[in-house]
Amino acid sequence: MKYEAITIKDIAKALGLSTSTVSRALRDSYEISSETKDRVLAYAKEMNYRPNPIALSLKEKRSSSIGVLVSEIANSFFSQAINGIESVAQEKGYNVIIAQSKEDFDREVSALHYLASRSVDGILISVSAGTSDFSTINDLYLRGMPLVSFDRVVDHLNMHKVKVDNYKGGYDATHHLIKNGYKKIACIASSAYLSISEERVAGYKDALIEKKMGVDENLIDYCLHSGLIYEEVEDIMNKLMMQKNKPDAILACSDKITTNIMRYCQDKKIKIPAKIGLLGFSNLDLTDLLTPSLSVVKQPAAEMGRIAAELLIKMIESKRPTTTFEEVILPTELFQRASSAKKAKP
Amino acid sequence: MKYEAITIKDIAKALGLSTSTVSRALRDSYEISSETKDRVLAYAKEMNYRPNPIALSLKEKRSSSIGVLVSEIANSFFSQAINGIESVAQEKGYNVIIAQSKEDFDREVSALHYLASRSVDGILISVSAGTSDFSTINDLYLRGMPLVSFDRVVDHLNMHKVKVDNYKGGYDATHHLIKNGYKKIACIASSAYLSISEERVAGYKDALIEKKMGVDENLIDYCLHSGLIYEEVEDIMNKLMMQKNKPDAILACSDKITTNIMRYCQDKKIKIPAKIGLLGFSNLDLTDLLTPSLSVVKQPAAEMGRIAAELLIKMIESKRPTTTFEEVILPTELFQRASSAKKAKP
DNA sequence: TGAATTTACGCAAACGATACCGGGAATTAA
DNA sequence: TTAATTCCCGGTATCGTTTGCGTAAATTCA
């Protein structure tokens, strides 16, 4: 069943004019008499005429829509980011088309191809945790597709980047744990492919080194799927808790990892923070209401989305190809709560 | 800056063929010799040819995209629903274009017009809490736009509906509270305009009446913005806690209302469930980890999204106009946890 | 009055792809 | 040898819109 709507041709036929006259009348061209304009406008309004955006897209070679590729929509960070993106897009007259990679490289590539085949004017991308090959993205860049990466940016590619200060986020979080008396701090990061993992871990390491605490590689681990699967976190936690140098605190570097650790500790009846301190990167709204209330590093998700969307639309609407790329770095925010409370002196 | 891509014309010119021949070769028509097909296919592959979806849309009068209108993307229920929608759409070759109304009627109308002007083949809609006038939706229906409403459905309009058994959800929740010894159960619902509010409240009332507990209208209140704004919930809670017939339990009928009540009780140091029991509709992942763990009525959000998307795509792809409309009703699930624990005998 | 402008509109091409129609060349049948 | 097929392929209209160009009619100017 089709949704049939009135076209410029219908108006032309009804009023005995040519399509060009109608088109110009609707665009208020100076070469159309005011009487004709009035007739056309009145009829168009009466028939509720709306220009066909697809025909316009074909003509103008632009679709007025932007693609957003994230790993998982049902993730508080990304849904907040999309919220920001949508608000900017709506304001500037762009559609937002969303796609999710589910942290899978193949799905990411096919989603990119799908979006890229000229159905969007630009793409906002946060790469999947499973992605180590960026040739598809680079191909798009080389072919002139406006791209902006956010959160999980790709360091060595030429494009605008919007991210948080992951190094400082990791550093501050670790520093806070140290200050609160934790001695053996483990770090569970997302996929090692991601620069955000690298940076957060670097901040973690430097905080330890600065306090002369030494870095134990056995206390550092990575989740290929960013903790999306519980078992992934479970395995790492089992390994960590079995080893001789057992941690007394954990820095979790993504939302799902953080909450899955909480779930693990609840299952295994490991008391937080008595047995183990916990501090995680998270954008969930309710972390303050959790048991125990969760210390988190929060990212300004909606703002990242807004800034990324603005950069992208600026690129799309620019006459000349963009040659210099910005890297916008926003601050993270540390919320100190019960899950990383000061450790009782032994 | 534009993203230039190869067209069928370029291939035709390069190989000394006509566009029609190239088109047929690409579609594997029988009237093209296998040599020509091979040449075309090889060249197309080499040049990474992809058909222009916009040109196709114009020709076929379909855009292969569906619009989704929700009140707020950064809401666990809707992001889970969108997740389900996206997975079905992706599978069937449709783009998903999202728009949010922010619970505002005007934004809803303009978003609908935006989506409707032939840039989508159909629309999935969950109406905003501020909507009492459904003429825009009805206009779209009359003009043949395929529409499916989900969650917040519109009762008196002709369209497929996918929802949960709100009545039973409200009834079961209230029954559970009664069974656990609560005597004065308040109910805070979303906008009174929404049928989900009406149905949940009806279930609540019937459960009370069945136990001969009587319905006190002073214990029932509505949030025009579905609890999106904290102050809205704060005002209602203040009113409830001030009045002489103070409730000893609350049934909260939406995600944001539930969590904002928890926040309120934490602020005001009102102990849950000692001072007041709490049970809410919610789709958050972490309700089991909250303090206290939160009793909830959960909706199968992703499944609702999937079913709604399937119904919509079936409608879009149907040759004849849809005349009979389905109403799919899914069960809710009640999770009994600490926030509504059995009341100690006084 | 005749020429030069201006006014107000129509024609047709273009965007990329598809499909109907038609036709030349090669093959087969008579 | 000629007519009838079959095989391949090209021309062109079409989708809805914009826009450069052309051109009658109306107006202005000399």
Side-chain angles (χ1 to χ4, degrees):
Chain A
M1 178 54 195
K2 297 241 197 53
Y3 175 77
E4 301 285 353
I6 190 174
T7 75
I8 224 168
K9 281 190 188 173
D10 300 326
I11 299 180
K13 200 174 295 173
L15 301 182
L17 295 167
S18 74
T19 58
S20 32
T21 303
V22 174
S23 171
R24 273 183 276 246
L26 290 169
R27 320 194 99 241
D28 200 26
S29 161
Y30 67 96
E31 25 180 5
I32 303 297
S33 69
S34 52
E35 309 143 54
T36 308
K37 272 182 197 168
D38 290 347
R39 279 176 68 212
V40 171
L41 258 44
Y43 190 77
K45 178 153 196 186
E46 183 197 336
M47 302 303 284
N48 199 26
Y49 167 80
R50 286 173 202 278
N52 183 332
I54 293 172
L56 271 173
S57 296
L58 183 59
K59 191 95 182 78
E60 311 281 340
K61 290 180 178 255
R62 41 183 259 118
S63 62
S64 288
S65 60
I66 59 180
V68 180
L69 179 55
V70 298
S71 56
E72 181 79 26
I73 297 160
N75 167 304
S76 51
F77 171 78
F78 289 119
S79 64
Q80 289 164 23
I82 292 173
N83 185 3
I85 292 166
E86 199 273 341
S87 65
V88 169
Q90 141 87 20
E91 194 181 300
K92 309 251 184 188
Y94 284 78
N95 280 326
V96 176
I97 297 177
I98 51 167
Q100 43 186 352
S101 66
K102 300 270 178 186
E103 306 290 12
D104 181 72
F105 174 65
D106 293 334
R107 286 197 62 165
E108 177 170 300
V109 170
S110 70
L112 278 173
H113 281 144
Y114 192 59
L115 292 172
S117 50
R118 278 166 304 184
S119 63
V120 297
D121 295 338
I123 302 177
L124 290 170
I125 177 168
S126 180
V127 300
S128 96
T131 303
S132 57
D133 170 9
F134 303 105
S135 57
T136 307
I137 300 177
N138 198 42
D139 283 355
L140 289 176
Y141 162 68
L142 292 174
R143 298 173 65 192
M145 172 67 79
L147 297 171
V148 172
S149 68
F150 69 101
D151 184 42
R152 299 163 169 196
V153 305
V154 186
D155 271 337
H156 54 282
L157 291 183
N158 281 329
M159 54 175 85
H160 290 316
K161 289 157 193 152
V162 181
K163 55 190 248 188
V164 293
D165 192 337
N166 289 298
Y167 174 86
K168 188 158 186 302
Y171 177 92
D172 288 350
T174 311
H175 184 84
H176 162 75
L177 288 169
I178 296 170
K179 203 189 62 196
N180 276 4
Y182 296 94
K183 302 291 182 196
K184 285 176 288 183
I185 303 168
C187 177
I188 307 183
S190 291
S191 159
Y193 295 136
L194 298 175
S195 59
I196 55 168
S197 299
E198 205 179 303
E199 294 165 12
R200 290 172 189 180
V201 171
Y204 155 83
K205 285 182 176 172
D206 282 2
L208 289 178
I209 291 166
E210 194 185 290
K211 296 286 177 185
K212 312 223 183 313
M213 291 180 62
V215 172
D216 180 353
E217 291 291 343
N218 288 321
L219 290 178
I220 303 176
D221 220 324
Y222 297 87
C223 295
L224 185 56
H225 299 283
S226 239
L228 203 59
I229 323 170
Y230 177 71
E231 284 68 28
E232 200 179 19
V233 174
E234 191 180 21
D235 289 349
I236 291 175
M237 286 298 290
N238 279 335
K239 200 204 80 186
L240 279 176
M241 302 308 280
M242 297 297 192
Q243 68 189 25
K244 52 182 185 301
N245 188 25
K246 216 160 67 176
D248 62 356
I250 298 179
L251 170 62
C253 291
S254 93
D255 223 315
K256 287 282 178 190
I257 296 174
T258 310
T259 54
N260 276 333
I261 291 174
M262 280 205 86
R263 218 173 285 286
Y264 176 90
C265 291
Q266 183 173 278
D267 280 3
K268 305 282 181 183
K269 313 242 181 288
I270 302 172
K271 285 250 183 301
I272 302 174
K275 271 286 177 192
I276 195 155
L278 178 61
L279 194 163
F281 280 73
S282 175
N283 266 68
L284 286 164
D285 257 352
L286 300 178
T287 45
D288 56 326
L289 300 175
L290 288 172
T291 319
S293 67
L294 188 61
S295 300
V296 294
V297 178
K298 206 168 189 171
Q299 307 187 64
E303 197 185 346
M304 287 174 76
R306 275 194 299 272
I307 293 175
E310 277 164 3
L311 282 172
L312 183 68
I313 291 174
K314 206 164 73 182
M315 257 180 106
I316 291 171
E317 296 182 350
S318 153
K319 306 284 175 242
R320 295 161 314 179
T322 310
T323 49
T324 58
F325 296 96
E326 288 182 46
E327 183 170 46
V328 179
I329 299 182
L330 301 175
T332 56
E333 214 177 340
L334 176 64
F335 290 84
Q336 310 182 6
R337 293 198 274 246
S339 72
S340 64
K342 200 174 273 288
K343 207 166 157 63
K345 288 272 169 349
Chain B
M1 177 55 194
K2 298 245 195 49
Y3 174 78
E4 300 286 351
I6 190 174
T7 75
I8 224 169
K9 280 190 190 172
D10 300 326
I11 300 180
K13 201 174 294 174
L15 300 182
L17 294 168
S18 76
T19 59
S20 28
T21 304
V22 174
S23 171
R24 272 183 284 242
L26 290 169
R27 321 195 97 240
D28 200 27
S29 163
Y30 67 97
E31 17 180 12
I32 303 297
S33 70
S34 52
E35 311 144 52
T36 308
K37 273 184 199 169
D38 290 345
R39 280 177 65 213
V40 171
L41 256 45
Y43 189 77
K45 180 155 194 183
E46 183 198 337
M47 302 302 284
N48 198 26
Y49 167 80
R50 288 176 198 276
N52 182 332
I54 293 173
L56 272 173
S57 295
L58 184 59
K59 188 95 180 81
E60 311 280 341
K61 292 181 179 255
R62 40 182 261 116
S63 62
S64 287
S65 60
I66 59 179
V68 180
L69 179 56
V70 298
S71 58
E72 180 80 26
I73 297 161
N75 166 305
S76 52
F77 171 79
F78 288 119
S79 64
Q80 288 165 25
I82 293 173
N83 185 5
I85 292 166
E86 199 273 342
S87 64
V88 169
Q90 141 87 21
E91 195 181 299
K92 309 251 181 185
Y94 285 78
N95 280 324
V96 176
I97 296 178
I98 51 167
Q100 44 187 351
S101 66
K102 299 273 179 180
E103 306 290 13
D104 181 73
F105 174 64
D106 293 333
R107 286 197 61 164
E108 177 170 299
V109 170
S110 70
L112 278 174
H113 281 142
Y114 193 58
L115 292 173
S117 50
R118 277 168 303 185
S119 63
V120 297
D121 295 339
I123 302 178
L124 290 170
I125 177 168
S126 180
V127 300
S128 95
T131 303
S132 57
D133 170 9
F134 304 105
S135 56
T136 308
I137 300 177
N138 198 42
D139 283 355
L140 289 175
Y141 162 69
L142 292 174
R143 297 173 65 190
M145 171 67 78
L147 297 171
V148 173
S149 68
F150 69 100
D151 184 43
R152 299 165 170 193
V153 305
V154 186
D155 271 336
H156 54 282
L157 291 183
N158 281 328
M159 55 175 85
H160 290 316
K161 290 158 193 149
V162 182
K163 55 191 247 186
V164 292
D165 192 337
N166 290 297
Y167 175 86
K168 189 159 183 304
Y171 177 91
D172 288 350
T174 311
H175 184 83
H176 161 76
L177 287 170
I178 296 171
K179 203 189 63 195
N180 276 6
Y182 296 94
K183 301 293 183 195
K184 284 175 290 182
I185 303 167
C187 177
I188 306 183
S190 291
S191 161
Y193 295 136
L194 298 175
S195 60
I196 55 169
S197 299
E198 205 180 304
E199 294 165 12
R200 289 172 189 179
V201 171
Y204 154 83
K205 285 181 177 175
D206 283 2
L208 289 178
I209 291 167
E210 194 185 291
K211 295 287 176 186
K212 311 224 183 313
M213 291 181 62
V215 172
D216 180 353
E217 291 292 342
N218 289 320
L219 290 179
I220 303 176
D221 220 324
Y222 298 88
C223 295
L224 185 57
H225 299 282
S226 239
L228 203 59
I229 322 170
Y230 176 72
E231 284 68 28
E232 201 179 20
V233 174
E234 191 181 20
D235 290 349
I236 292 175
M237 286 298 290
N238 278 336
K239 200 203 82 185
L240 279 176
M241 302 309 280
M242 297 298 189
Q243 68 188 24
K244 52 185 186 298
N245 189 26
K246 219 161 62 176
D248 62 356
I250 299 180
L251 170 62
C253 291
S254 94
D255 223 317
K256 287 283 177 187
I257 296 174
T258 311
T259 55
N260 276 332
I261 292 174
M262 279 206 86
R263 216 172 286 286
Y264 176 90
C265 290
Q266 184 173 278
D267 280 3
K268 306 281 182 183
K269 313 240 183 288
I270 302 172
K271 286 249 182 301
I272 301 173
K275 271 287 176 189
I276 197 156
L278 178 60
L279 194 162
F281 280 73
S282 175
N283 264 68
L284 286 164
D285 257 352
L286 299 178
T287 44
D288 55 326
L289 300 174
L290 287 172
T291 319
S293 67
L294 188 60
S295 301
V296 294
V297 179
K298 207 169 190 171
Q299 307 186 65
E303 196 185 346
M304 286 173 75
R306 276 194 300 273
I307 293 175
E310 277 164 3
L311 282 173
L312 183 67
I313 292 173
K314 206 164 72 183
M315 256 180 107
I316 291 170
E317 296 181 349
S318 154
K319 306 282 174 242
R320 295 161 313 177
T322 310
T323 51
T324 58
F325 297 95
E326 288 182 48
E327 183 171 45
V328 179
I329 299 181
L330 301 174
T332 56
E333 214 178 341
L334 177 64
F335 290 84
Q336 309 181 7
R337 293 197 276 245
S339 73
S340 64
K342 200 174 273 290
K343 208 166 158 62
K345 287 272 170 345

